[in-house]
Amino acid sequence: MSLPHAILTALLEKPSSGLELTRRFDKSIGYFWSASHQQIYRELGKLEAEGHIRTLPAEQPARGQKKSYEVLPAGRAELARWTSESQDPKPHRDALLLRLRAAAVVGTAGLETDIRRHLELHRRQLAEYQEIERRDFPPDRDSAEDRLRHLVLRAGIDLETFWTGWLTHALAEFGELPRNAAGDEGV
């Protein structure tokens, strides 16, 4: 249900073509709500059929010209309705956590290496978010829109900070495990 709302949000920020939306998703919304090029185009068609968006008139008719879209009042109303409704948090699902639980019964072979890889990935993502914060949110950017966008970025920074700390702790725990930890015998 959230992909159409992510697209409406992006189009309200700036009318765009499907390709431009895909690029913008990769640079902003995609950090917390990802979508493939095909998913975006499929959803654009649905949103247009529902009367939430429309294709902008072309400046010059041309065959193969990319279509740009803008949000209609019905789309803005739908986004406002969705934004104001109550939603429960979704349960967190993470394969690494499940793999750690499984390692307790089948052994930890290969897992420490992958935890180190995860730690490096989270460190890189944290550094990227911190760079975006330095670049895009100087102290003088204090509009309501900037503050809300910064709040979303802070969630990313805080989550990556959590994961780097937790993974560092996990690696320390691995260092203290007996050589043949939990089911490693015979692996």
Side-chain angles (χ1 to χ4, degrees):
M1 197 50 193
S2 295
L3 179 56
H5 299 101
I7 291 172
L8 288 170
T9 299
L11 289 175
L12 278 170
E13 291 174 343
K14 180 183 176 193
S16 305
S17 69
L19 181 58
E20 290 165 338
L21 278 173
T22 300
R23 289 180 181 150
R24 288 175 53 213
F25 261 69
D26 288 345
K27 293 180 182 177
S28 62
I29 291 173
Y31 285 118
F32 56 90
W33 197 269
S34 62
S36 69
H37 188 74
Q38 293 83 7
Q39 289 172 309
I40 289 172
Y41 273 96
R42 194 169 38 248
E43 208 55 56
L44 284 169
K46 289 178 188 176
L47 288 167
E48 191 169 25
E50 292 167 352
H52 291 155
I53 65 172
R54 74 175 181 124
T55 304
L56 288 169
E59 293 174 14
Q60 291 180 274
R63 190 165 194 242
Q65 182 178 11
K66 66 181 178 181
K67 293 194 273 185
S68 287
Y69 300 89
E70 70 176 353
V71 177
L72 294 171
R76 180 181 283 275
E78 168 54 24
L79 187 59
R81 181 207 60 77
W82 179 76
T83 301
S84 67
E85 77 180 11
S86 177
Q87 293 184 354
D88 291 336
K90 300 286 185 230
H92 181 74
R93 293 172 52 166
D94 190 292
L96 180 60
L97 297 177
L98 182 56
R99 290 171 56 215
L100 278 168
R101 181 70 183 252
V105 292
V106 299
T108 61
L111 199 49
E112 184 174 359
T113 300
D114 203 37
I115 290 173
R116 288 185 192 287
R117 186 180 69 82
H118 277 249
L119 177 59
E120 182 54 33
L121 292 170
H122 284 286
R123 282 180 175 157
R124 277 191 251 151
Q125 189 64 65
L126 177 59
E128 186 175 343
Y129 285 163
Q130 289 170 330
E131 177 55 32
I132 291 169
E133 184 178 44
R134 277 190 291 281
R135 182 190 69 219
D136 294 348
F137 295 100
D140 61 331
R141 287 191 69 179
D142 201 28
S143 71
E145 294 86 358
D146 285 334
R147 291 177 75 173
L148 290 172
R149 288 181 184 119
H150 190 200
L151 191 59
V152 173
L153 178 62
R154 283 299 321 168
I157 290 170
D158 291 349
L159 284 169
E160 295 304 328
T161 299
F162 162 78
W163 279 113
T164 56
W166 184 85
L167 288 162
T168 300
H169 176 76
L171 287 170
E173 287 289 327
F174 264 78
E176 294 180 16
L177 291 176
R179 180 81 172 119
N180 292 327
D184 277 345
E185 297 84 23
V187 174

